[in-house]
Amino acid sequence: MSSLPSYQSDLVARTRKLLEAARSVPLSAVQQTTLIDPDVKGPSWVSRTSFPAPKDESTGPQSLLGRAIEALGGGRGQCTMPPVETVDARWTGHRPGVEEEEPEPAISEHEKYRALIKNLKLCYLSLLHPPPGAFHDPVPASSVVFSGDSAGANLALALTQVLLFARSTTLLFHSTEVSLPLPAGIAVLSAGLDLTLALPSWRSNAPFDIFSDSWSFLAPGYPTCKIWPSDPPRGHPYCEIGMMLHPLVAPAFARSWEGAPPMWFAGGQERFADSAKLAAEQAARQGVPVSYEEYEEMPHDFPIMSATWPWAKTEGWPQSVKCMEAWVNACKVFGEGGTLRTGAVVILSQGGEQEKDVSRLTVGAEKITLLAQEKQAGWKIFTGQQKAIPSL
């Protein structure tokens, strides 16, 4: 039985109920919510910019990505390559001496950026190699830490796989031949590194997490719209069925992390846990410095839930405070050229810690991969008219 206080259990139940209600919302409506640009208020600098897509270059980013997809997937799985698009980005930083509701000043984006840098002292390529017209100087890879939560953690680790593939190559970027060095480190929270939902933790950790049993957009009767089902139809909005275990889609199944920068993982006792643990243990076995923290009985994204659900107020939980301090410390240590002690620890809900072997966090890569492959083999293409969700 869970030992969580009732207010925490109630919060998890409330969040799960809201996510369940999203099964009646078309995917295009969900997408629109991500395009809202909220007003900036309070002690924050936000400088908006765009990193333009490079011109058609035969040895540019798209060519490199295509080669990485083929090589890392072992020739398995096919996908449609999208075009390289201009990336809208934000420089963000602390703006001291400002009240919570004070609006952002009416100055140019460049002036905001200069103020941000003064206080703080396509994206990775554009950071390292600014395109023409950019108002930032080149940022050395040794000062960059890849960080993200949930699907953002997936993207950080997938990009790392591309960089590992490209270590000895160069590419054209805005007509200049450039290299792609690895970042100083990787620090991720609640990494969701599997799409099949077939790993053991998806069942065993269900009582503690906010997610229901299946993807909402595959449910019978899920409302169709202009973007889902796709044209031509496929089995998941993220990719074709044949790509579901590709390491750029599901980094849990990457064969090699050898040569990767130091990594910090943290998460709750959540349904995606085994996917993060599989990547962490594989990297540790291959000589990568890996620190893994699991917070007993905590749900997905527990330290930052109020960013999505303002009423959650989870940032004051003792586990949240500890996790955020550790996350900040990891980024700081990596950015200064250091590493953390390799190992794994469970932060117990009633206090205390339990050490784990970071190279043995799951039932084993072979067993987990087989479970995912079996699930993938039975996956159905979504047409908007299917009668049942594939079994879990």
Side-chain angles (χ1 to χ4, degrees), residues 108-126:
S108 71
E109 300 300 328
H110 192 178
E111 290 173 306
K112 294 175 190 174
Y113 170 80
R114 293 178 63 182
L116 182 158
I117 294 300
K118 179 180 178 181
N119 291 330
L120 284 180
K121 305 294 181 197
L122 263 196
C123 293
Y124 188 56
L125 266 173
S126 296

Side-chain angles (χ1 to χ4, degrees), residues 53-64 171-176:
K55 297 178 181 179
D56 185 18
E57 296 168 335
S58 60
T59 58
Q62 189 172 39
S63 173
L64 172 66
L171 73 158
L172 282 180
F173 188 63
H174 295 290
S175 302
T176 300

Side-chain angles (χ1 to χ4, degrees), residues 18 28 54 64-65 71-72 87 92 168 170 188 196 200 233 251-252 261 294 315 340 368 373 388 391:
L18 287 173
S28 56
L64 172 66
L65 182 58
L72 295 172
V87 176
T92 63
S168 60
T170 59
V188 293
T196 67
E294 180 175 22
E315 61 269 22
L340 300 172
I368 283 183
Q373 288 173 337
S391 61

